[in-house]
Amino acid sequence: MLDAETGEAAPPRDLEVVDGAVARWSPAPDAAYCEWFALPGFVDAHAHVSSVTDLVGMLAYGVTGYRQMWGEPAHLYSAGVHRARHAVLPLPWTTAGVVDGPDSRIPHHVTVVDDARQVRRVVEDVLAFGFDGIKVYDDLARPAFEALVREAERAGIPVVGHVPEAVPLDAAYPGMWSTEHLYGIVPNVFRLPAADRWAVLADALQRHRDDGPAVEGAAGRFVCPTLTAWRARSGERRYTRPSRTLLQSATPSRRPAWHAAARDALSLERAEAQRRSLLVDRLGGIAYDLSRRGARLLVGTDCGNPFVLAGPSYHKELAELSRSGLDFATVLKAATVDAYAATGRDPARADLVLYRRSPAHDVTRLARPDAVLVDGVLLDADDLDHLWGLRLTAAGLDAGTWRRGDVDPAAGDRQNKETADAG
């Protein structure tokens, strides 16, 4: 077992699993021999799962749990199926949709609250349906936010999501179980016209640098940076590669948005793409600073957004955090120990990712597990390859188009502006 706190391999032991839980660890009879290297199953701490192909992609890349951050009652079904052991699925932690204020820019897609009665109704619905948390959004007013935090705390319900623009960060940290996308330190620039987004982000990063770190209250708090989603929206093409295979892999309902993003990315001048990429690097620097100041980082992808595919993009996020300067142990802790704490997962569960070679100190080795043990069922490399092939086939692709373990399709499958325009 690799120690998820230190990233170092522990002495070999025999593992016994009964009914999906660890029953016994015992010293291996031959301490010099080790057949597997094991880690706790990974958790995608910010996901928007919309199909079974998303769940298959997660399993194929070692993700055995996720936080569904815009939930509906239908999303609870997969949790029920998992608990009934009728299927092998990643275990979800699900929020009750999104709570926003009367000035919401997406009023038809959120629950609008503006008074104490509406706040109580939200909390009662969460308890009635059995959701795991409440997600708040950008336009929630501060009085409603504070009332919601109080009622949720009484009911034992975590409040997560975007730091509302009307709520100062030092007031948000104590009331929110986790904050997403580094909002509150920088604004949600994607609410702005496309031409203004990156200039506003640059200004916010400069203010953050000039005014000193706005991260003092983050110690002990869960923060999910989703750097890979920021990177994907920047249009740069070093780490985000628009391709025909990637675009076709998207859920059909998402493909128009993905194609539009590909056209935007391919139309960027190289200098502008590089400028935006450097801004995302600076966001990584904020994540590094948060970790150094005691924040508990979470590995989340925001999968579902353009170029962010469930499974492969999880390992892009690990790479982003590693490039920001975080060491292997810190990244591993964010992917497992802290993610389990953030979702309240039972540490006795035996969900594991297993490797024939030790992945210690190298995040790139984590993307292709040789087996996954989930809910007491062992999926070996052949099973995982088959699942990934089925996921590609469901998208109309040849099963050999994209090798499991690669975070992008083969380099020869690049997109050009003409094929992007043609869809």
Side-chain angles (χ1 to χ4, degrees), residues 145-233:
F145 170 82
E146 292 173 344
L148 181 64
V149 165
R150 287 195 300 271
E151 290 295 326
E153 186 175 9
R154 289 192 189 103
I157 301 169
V159 174
V160 302
H162 296 194
V163 174
E165 292 181 353
V167 179
L169 193 57
D170 59 358
Y173 276 141
M176 296 183 67
W177 184 241
S178 74
T179 59
E180 315 297 312
H181 315 304
L182 302 178
Y183 292 164
I185 299 174
V186 296
N188 181 358
V189 299
F190 301 105
R191 296 155 50 89
L192 303 175
D196 300 335
R197 294 171 181 172
W198 297 95
V200 170
L201 178 61
D203 288 344
L205 288 168
Q206 188 61 48
R207 286 196 303 273
H208 172 73
R209 176 178 291 177
D210 293 343
D211 298 342
V215 296
E216 298 298 340
R221 305 293 174 182
F222 294 112
V223 179
C224 189
T226 65
L227 297 174
T228 194
W230 280 99
R231 182 79 66 187
R233 296 185 186 192

Side-chain angles (χ1 to χ4, degrees), residues 29-271:
D30 181 359
Y33 174 74
C34 183
E35 186 174 2
W36 295 99
F37 293 87
L39 286 167
F42 303 131
V43 177
D44 189 334
H46 192 116
H48 297 283
V49 169
S50 65
S51 69
V52 69
T53 56
D54 289 336
L55 298 174
V56 169
M58 287 180 170
L59 278 181
Y61 279 75
V63 178
T64 64
Y66 64 98
R67 291 199 306 171
Q68 177 69 19
M69 295 297 281
W70 198 311
E72 298 175 3
H75 287 119
L76 298 175
Y77 174 74
S78 63
V81 167
H82 194 291
R83 290 168 188 145
R85 308 265 321 262
H86 291 157
V88 178
L89 298 170
L91 183 65
W93 184 99
T94 308
T95 70
V98 171
V99 176
D100 210 356
D103 296 328
S104 175
R105 303 182 201 189
I106 48 171
H108 301 298
H109 302 281
V110 300
T111 300
V112 173
V113 301
D114 196 27
D115 57 35
R117 180 183 60 82
Q118 294 166 339
V119 165
R120 285 194 295 272
R121 174 69 62 83
V122 167
V123 173
E124 289 167 1
D125 285 349
V126 170
L127 292 173
F129 281 104
F131 286 105
D132 298 298
I134 299 171
K135 181 177 180 180
V136 296
Y137 221 56
D138 303 278
D139 291 312
L140 189 63
R142 184 169 182 177
F145 170 82
E146 292 173 344
L148 181 64
V149 165
R150 287 195 300 271
E151 290 295 326
E153 186 175 9
R154 289 192 189 103
I157 301 169
V159 174
V160 302
H162 296 194
V163 174
E165 292 181 353
V167 179
L169 193 57
D170 59 358
Y173 276 141
M176 296 183 67
W177 184 241
S178 74
T179 59
E180 315 297 312
H181 315 304
L182 302 178
Y183 292 164
I185 299 174
V186 296
N188 181 358
V189 299
F190 301 105
R191 296 155 50 89
L192 303 175
D196 300 335
R197 294 171 181 172
W198 297 95
V200 170
L201 178 61
D203 288 344
L205 288 168
Q206 188 61 48
R207 286 196 303 273
H208 172 73
R209 176 178 291 177
D210 293 343
D211 298 342
V215 296
E216 298 298 340
R221 305 293 174 182
F222 294 112
V223 179
C224 189
T226 65
L227 297 174
T228 194
W230 280 99
R231 182 79 66 187
R233 296 185 186 192
S234 71
E236 67 83 35
R237 296 193 290 279
R238 284 183 304 159
Y239 307 120
T240 301
R241 296 209 319 246
S243 68
R244 290 182 294 276
T245 297
L246 181 60
L247 295 178
Q248 194 167 337
S249 299
T251 304
S253 63
R254 293 170 172 165
R255 285 179 189 168
W258 286 46
H259 278 281
R263 289 192 293 271
D264 290 343
L266 292 165
S267 68
L268 278 181
E269 296 292 336
R270 184 180 296 274

